Amino acid sequence: MATWNLVEDLRQLLSYPFMVNALRAGTIVAVVAGAIGWMMALRRESFAGHTLAMVGFPGAAAATWLGIAAGYGYFAACVGTALVIAALPPATRSRGSGEQSAVIGTVQAFALAAGMLFVSLYKGFLSGLTNLLFGTIAGITSQQVTVLLIAAAPCLLVLTLLGRPLLWASIDPETAAAQGVPVRPIGAAFMLLLGVAAAGTSQVTGSLLVFALLVAPAAAAHRLTSHPGRGVAMSVAIAVLVTWLGMGFAYFSPYPIGFWVSTFAFACYLASAGLRAWLDRRGQIHLFGTRRAEVPV
């Protein structure tokens, strides 16, 4: 029960080991999702990211059915599908082409069908199904935190190393290729990073609400600035903020964490869009040291 005394409520919240685990896992996931989500939005690969989130559901369901930790199922399904998508021609996974709808939409439908099959094969799975779809703060174990940290550290390191060529290949792939940048391998590497981020995020928000951390903070940041460094930092900050708020409200309410994280992330996007519109009406084109941002989501 919340006392509405911030210090007392925080002391109560942190007195439980599962909440400490949840905050650790949520912070790790938010940092990775915020950074990779910003690049995903820039590359207009949100639909591919959505597909990776969907395949996490059958992966986790299959793992639970087989008697192993759901986290391993998330990573196996998301990373495996990321490799498959990376092998597709770029035009089929980005920029909303009709071929994209046919190929990736089919993958999503099959993933959901497979997930429901695994749910039906595992008897007495009803409460677990809700957790897989919408997330839970009580189910994050110390083992999951360790797995998330092991996955997140190299993920962020690779993203940093790929930063400049990846940015160039995302903004102007033809010119980058002409200058010797390996656009296709870099794009495949980023898709693999996106799969890792989707798998980690699914364990906090559930498979259906991965976009709350992958897209909304990034979209809000793109509304406010087009500067890459400031944009990534802002996206990460928003993702961490909405994750902490979502966990706090989920703890003191009967509603799932995915709902709260999505609600606060949506509110941040609306606030950024409103601020952007207000500045535009005032004729102010500079914000955070850069010109008006384009929103590629």
Side-chain angles (χ1 to χ4, degrees), residues 205 209 212 216 257-267:
T205 63
L209 300 174
I257 182 176
F259 164 73
W260 289 113
V261 171
S262 301
T263 299
F264 288 120
F266 182 59

Side-chain angles (χ1 to χ4, degrees), residues 106-241:
T106 301
V107 172
Q108 288 188 16
F110 176 73
L112 289 175
M116 295 310 298
L117 171 65
F118 295 130
V119 167
S120 65
L121 291 174
Y122 184 75
K123 307 302 180 184
F125 190 59
L126 291 179
S127 61
L129 174 61
T130 302
N131 295 339
L132 292 179
L133 293 176
F134 300 103
T136 176
I137 58 174
I140 300 175
T141 64
S142 298
Q143 183 184 24
Q144 283 178 290
V145 175
T146 303
V147 171
L148 288 174
L149 186 60
I150 292 173
C155 192
L156 291 175
L157 177 61
V158 172
L159 183 64
T160 302
L161 294 175
L162 290 179
R164 184 176 293 275
L166 177 61
L167 186 64
W168 193 5
S170 303
I171 295 174
D172 190 352
E174 289 79 13
T175 303
Q179 294 297 319
V181 175
V183 174
R184 187 72 187 275
I186 285 179
F190 176 74
M191 188 57 59
L192 186 59
L193 295 179
L194 184 56
V196 174
T201 307
S202 297
Q203 297 180 62
V204 175
T205 63
S207 292
L208 293 183
L209 300 174
V210 169
F211 264 25
L213 288 180
L214 271 178
V215 171
H222 276 285
R223 280 286 179 183
L224 298 177
T225 178
S226 59
H227 187 282
R230 298 187 188 97
V232 172
M234 195 174 297
S235 178
V236 170
I238 294 172
V240 171
L241 175 65

